Amino acid sequence: MTDEKFIVALDQGTSSSRALAVAADGTVRAMKSAPLAPSRPGDGLSEYDAQILADSQLGVLNDLLDEIGPQNAAALAVTSQRSTVVLWDRQTGRAAAPVLTWEDGRAVEEARRAEVFQEEIHAVTGLYKTPYFSAPKIAWCLAHMPGAKEALKAGNLLVGPVASYLIWKLTQGKTFAADPTLAQRMLLLDIRTKTWSEELCRAFGVPSACLPEIRPSAADYGAYDYKGVRIPIAACAGDQQASVAFTDLRPGQTCINYGTGAFLLHNAGAAAPVFLPGMLTSLSASGADGACDYLLEGPVNAAGSVFQWLNAQGITFDHREIDALCGEAKNPVWFLPALGGLGAPYWDYSVTPAFAGLFPRTRRADWVAGAARGVAFLLADIAAYLRAGGYPVSSPVRVSGGLSRVSYLMRFQADLLQAELWVAQEAESTVLGAARLTARQIGWNAGAWKEAAAERVLPALDGAKAADLHQRWQAFAGWCKARPS
């Protein structure tokens, strides 16, 4: 490597830890990654070991710094999965409980028992009282994990999103902070004031003293000292909002990001929080001044994970085969990919995966195409709900994420939405969004960064036929939800 300066962006995702070096022109010059799969000790359970998680992320960071030279790292950015929560002891640094991932649903009773109505919690946090956000998980850990109870009793318990835990590790305990995009996912943040809600903390039994300080997404998060070099940490954000920061989503525009789950986000502007029952109201990443937009967000709980699930059921294929198999399908199955239940706008966690339309000649390709179509249908449900609520999902819809490489899925999605898709050719939108926040913070000209020209996908299906197809899907989905559990 030369003496060129880089922003080093950490991306701690559900299935991997990554570190990437981003040059001043916005291009990725080097990357290190390591797989990191959560363990699944039972149905609906998903967790990491905190030390393994930290070692994985710090390992790829140090490997990257050794390659580029730590003196060439101008700053660090940290982005991570959002609703996964870590509990640890400030004195020992050791985990006080398993790291329950955003997919983990064991805290159903803790969510149910919290004495706050759904309407109240939605009005304060923009979210809903479900076991998939952090507060019920924290309550479960405090009830069932002796280490968490002991750390709390001793006044040493710290609780935060993954990024907060990593920053605490990087700064050797000097910085315990989170940005609003991650803090919100703890289900304890008032999104109007961007402060912890004492009422919600009491409802879930979580002392606010255990929670991180709130700072803007682009802010001083301390520094990482590596081999005698002090590298400032200048940005922190949730993965979906980092991706939005890269695409520069403007008010009135919509984007979809396809990852382990899929997320449709509509920018509702900065004037005031906008609440639409059935949708989440999220915060965009903020600059140093703390200003942000409000995003109406609709999550689909399973997208990329649906194809992993099919493999686990014995319908085996390589991820690189998905597009070709979809193209070979003659009679795609009707498949509701309700791994972990249904997200927006249904919020029904009792629903399980279901399928119909099987024939004696149903083949592997029909299963794979049915899975792709199921993800697209669930996103179309969210778009239809937004439109009915007065928020037009109109062309172009900006699209990113791993599954956006599946051409069959993109064509089918454009048909269902009856909208033009702009499919990002830059695969690293999350990392580059975090790097862009950092660039602005340290005085680099991120405005000069150019997104690779997007592939444009136009709907090819007649509007009436698309509407009929969606109605058939909704009849199937209604049947699935009415089945006895």
Side-chain angles (χ1 to χ4, degrees), residues 66-427:
D66 287 340
E67 178 177 335
I68 67 173
Q71 72 281 2
N72 293 323
L76 287 176
V78 182
T79 183
S80 74
Q81 51 184 299
R82 296 181 294 177
S83 299
T84 299
V85 66
V86 189
L87 289 78
W88 72 101
D89 187 304
R90 78 166 75 235
Q91 292 298 323
T92 66
R94 290 196 293 268
V99 178
L100 306 188
T101 80
W102 61 274
E103 298 174 293
D104 190 277
R106 74 187 72 187
V108 172
E109 282 304 307
E110 284 71 20
R112 184 186 62 79
R113 286 198 296 265
E115 294 184 355
V116 57
F117 293 114
Q118 286 285 22
E119 294 81 7
E120 295 177 78
I121 207 164
H122 188 219
V124 174
T125 69
L127 308 178
Y128 289 98
K129 188 173 64 168
T130 82
Y132 289 86
F133 298 123
S134 299
K137 300 179 195 296
I138 301 165
W140 185 92
C141 289
L142 291 174
H144 295 90
M145 294 288 108
K149 296 177 187 177
E150 292 166 8
L152 178 61
K153 185 177 180 180
N156 293 328
L157 183 66
L158 299 180
V159 183
V162 171
S164 298
Y165 175 63
L166 293 175
I167 290 170
W168 190 87
K169 287 279 191 181
L170 290 167
T171 61
Q172 297 185 318
K174 294 183 179 69
T175 300
F176 179 45
D179 91 310
T181 70
L182 287 164
Q184 183 194 16
R185 263 15 208 205
M186 298 185 76
L187 204 61
L188 300 170
L189 188 79
D190 186 324
I191 61 171
R192 289 183 174 84
T193 63
K194 300 183 182 67
T195 59
W196 300 116
S197 165
E198 289 295 341
E199 179 185 354
L200 293 181
C201 286
R202 285 193 298 273
F204 287 100
V206 180
S208 59
C210 300
L211 303 176
E213 175 190 347
I214 307 299
R215 301 183 184 181
S217 306
D220 179 2
Y221 283 88
Y224 179 46
D225 292 311
Y226 185 68
K227 294 186 175 179
V229 178
R230 185 178 186 277
I231 308 169
I233 304 170
C236 168
D239 51 8
Q240 299 304 316
Q241 281 92 340
S243 181
V244 168
F246 178 67
T247 58
D248 197 23
L249 194 72
R250 301 299 176 87
Q253 295 179 338
T254 304
C255 70
I256 299 173
N257 191 25
Y258 298 85
T260 303
F263 300 85
L264 187 151
L265 299 104
H266 179 84
N267 189 331
V274 174
F275 298 100
L276 179 63
M279 297 291 291
L280 307 181
T281 299
S282 298
L283 302 169
S284 72
S286 52
D289 62 358
C292 67
D293 288 336
Y294 294 96
L295 309 172
L296 288 171
E297 177 180 344
V300 170
N301 291 344
S305 58
V306 177
F307 299 96
Q308 297 169 358
W309 184 83
L310 282 180
N311 268 290
Q313 307 312 306
I315 304 170
T316 58
F317 52 90
D318 187 276
H319 190 81
R320 292 168 294 185
E321 295 181 88
I322 292 174
D323 198 38
L325 285 169
C326 287
E328 294 171 11
K330 303 298 183 185
N331 293 292
V333 300
W334 287 94
F335 183 18
L336 181 72
L339 279 68
L342 294 176
Y346 305 108
W347 303 108
D348 188 340
Y349 293 101
S350 67
V351 181
T352 56
F355 46 86
L358 298 179
F359 299 94
R361 294 186 62 81
T362 295
R363 297 293 181 262
R364 182 177 62 148
D366 298 313
W367 279 102
V368 176
R373 288 160 63 105
V375 171
F377 275 126
L378 288 175
L379 286 161
D381 288 348
I382 295 168
Y385 187 82
L386 273 173
R387 286 166 171 162
Y391 297 94
V393 176
S394 53
S395 301
V397 175
R398 289 159 172 79
V399 175
S400 61
L403 284 182
S404 67
R405 299 291 178 269
V406 179
S407 297
Y408 176 93
L409 173 58
M410 294 299 96
R411 293 193 299 271
F412 193 71
Q413 191 75 81
D415 285 342
L416 289 178
L417 297 181
Q418 287 292 288
E420 181 181 357
L421 306 185
W422 285 7
V423 184
Q425 297 304 290
E426 175 52 69

Side-chain angles (χ1 to χ4, degrees), residues 434-456:
R436 175 169 276 169
L437 290 167
T438 306
R440 292 168 179 160
Q441 178 70 359
I442 65 174
W444 285 15
N445 181 19
W449 294 8
K450 299 296 183 185
E451 184 179 359
E455 177 189 357
R456 301 190 174 195

